Amino acid sequence: MEVNFPVNDFAIGIIGGTGGIGKWFADFFAGQGHTVHVSGRSEGMSLPELAAACRIVVVAVPIGVTLDVIREVGPFLPEEALLMDLTSLKEKPVREMLAASRAEVIGCHPLFGPDAPSLAGQNIVLCPARGGRWLDFLQRTFVKNGARITVTAPAEHDRMMALIQGLTHLDTILMGLTLRDSGVEPSELAAFSTPVFRTKQAIIEKVFGPRPGLYAALLAENPNMPALLEIFERNFLIVKEMILRGNTTELEALLKKP
């Protein structure tokens, strides 16, 4: 079912729209011709005001406070509105949006950061959970601007994110901790670094930077990580044993194994 009112004749509210990915989407929707209202920690509309003024309300706050914000704003939204989140995990936020509101619910995960110049070529995952009016609108809006859309269930999204984000950040954190505990100063590494190492070093600095809570939550709050950690640990121990025995042949064979 399509939205039964003019697609440019409604406002969109972004909770957390004063910075990061929330601000990115606030600017994006404004560029599409919508009136956009934002609510930040100390500025913008109150949540009841935002819910009353906007047909779509987007929760774009850190993972650690997402559920609390959903519980706070959800009861103010009518059935014809859309409640959507932008967090990197989907099962818990979607479940909470369904419980806290009567509105339509779509979990959304933009697979890019606020430094992206546009939607062109970017991936977005949508997890529709209640209602059918708004999914078509979001898909058409994002695809029109060059995004690639995947529609899936929250549980499948989180399973894939354990592999794509969880495993990536786990590897980055362990490498960063190992470098930190090696006793070698970063300045000493520069003269010996390769392009690949410098790329990894830049990623480490980002993960260990001003928003470590984001990466911690992606690992600690994804229910699929325990099983993945078992696989990771098993393979680490196999490789460790080969290295300690100096067994180049076995390690090469392991890398060639399909």
Side-chain angles (χ1 to χ4, degrees):
M1 183 189 306
E2 293 192 6
V3 181
N4 58 2
F5 44 82
V7 295
N8 286 319
D9 192 23
F10 61 87
I12 297 174
I14 314 282
I15 304 172
T18 59
I21 198 67
K23 185 178 186 306
W24 194 99
F25 272 90
D27 293 340
F28 169 77
F29 283 123
Q32 300 302 300
H34 297 284
T35 298
V36 177
H37 300 292
V38 300
S39 175
R41 288 190 182 94
S42 58
E43 60 184 285
M45 288 182 166
S46 69
L47 298 190
E49 290 172 335
L50 196 76
C54 300
R55 292 281 191 173
I56 296 177
V57 171
V58 181
V59 178
V61 298
I63 293 176
V65 296
T66 292
L67 301 186
D68 290 335
V69 171
I70 289 171
R71 293 185 193 112
E72 188 174 351
V73 72
F76 296 109
L77 289 167
E79 291 182 15
E80 65 271 16
L82 170 66
L83 180 57
M84 183 171 81
D85 79 302
L86 299 181
T87 53
S88 299
L89 296 174
K90 293 274 77 83
E91 283 192 89
K92 288 182 180 179
V94 167
R95 186 163 57 243
E96 201 62 45
M97 287 190 289
L98 289 171
S101 76
R102 296 174 296 129
E104 296 197 8
V105 169
I106 296 177
C108 176
H109 186 188
L111 296 168
F112 57 91
D115 55 343
S118 73
L119 274 185
Q122 303 292 349
N123 290 333
I124 297 179
V125 177
L126 298 175
C127 299
R130 182 163 61 211
R133 298 180 181 183
W134 290 103
L135 180 60
D136 180 67
F137 164 74
L138 288 176
Q139 287 182 297
R140 284 189 287 107
T141 300
F142 293 154
V143 169
K144 179 182 70 174
N145 286 275
R148 296 186 293 259
I149 306 300
T150 297
V151 178
T152 191
E156 176 63 10
H157 167 275
D158 286 1
R159 185 180 75 87
M160 296 302 292
M161 284 303 104
L163 290 165
I164 292 169
Q165 289 188 314
L167 190 58
T168 297
H169 298 319
L170 174 65
D171 176 75
T172 299
I173 289 170
L174 289 174
M175 183 174 175
L177 292 174
T178 302
L179 287 172
R180 188 170 70 185
D181 293 346
S182 69
V184 179
E185 293 295 324
S187 58
E188 297 179 66
L189 297 171
F192 299 88
S193 66
T194 64
V196 171
F197 179 83
R198 289 193 292 273
T199 298
K200 289 193 172 184
Q201 192 174 36
I203 297 171
I204 290 169
E205 290 172 358
K206 182 177 180 180
V207 171
F208 283 71
R211 300 180 64 200
L214 169 64
Y215 304 98
L218 289 176
L219 290 169
E221 297 187 26
N222 190 319
N224 299 278
M225 282 306 297
L228 196 60
L229 287 169
E230 292 294 327
I231 298 172
F232 187 94
E233 184 176 21
R234 181 172 70 246
N235 282 300
F236 172 79
L237 292 175
I238 291 171
V239 173
K240 176 184 176 182
E241 180 63 23
M242 292 178 181
I243 292 173
L244 290 178
R245 288 191 285 109
N247 197 324
T248 303
T249 302
E250 283 189 19
L251 184 53
E252 181 183 3
L254 181 65
L255 297 178
K256 289 181 178 179
K257 187 177 179 180

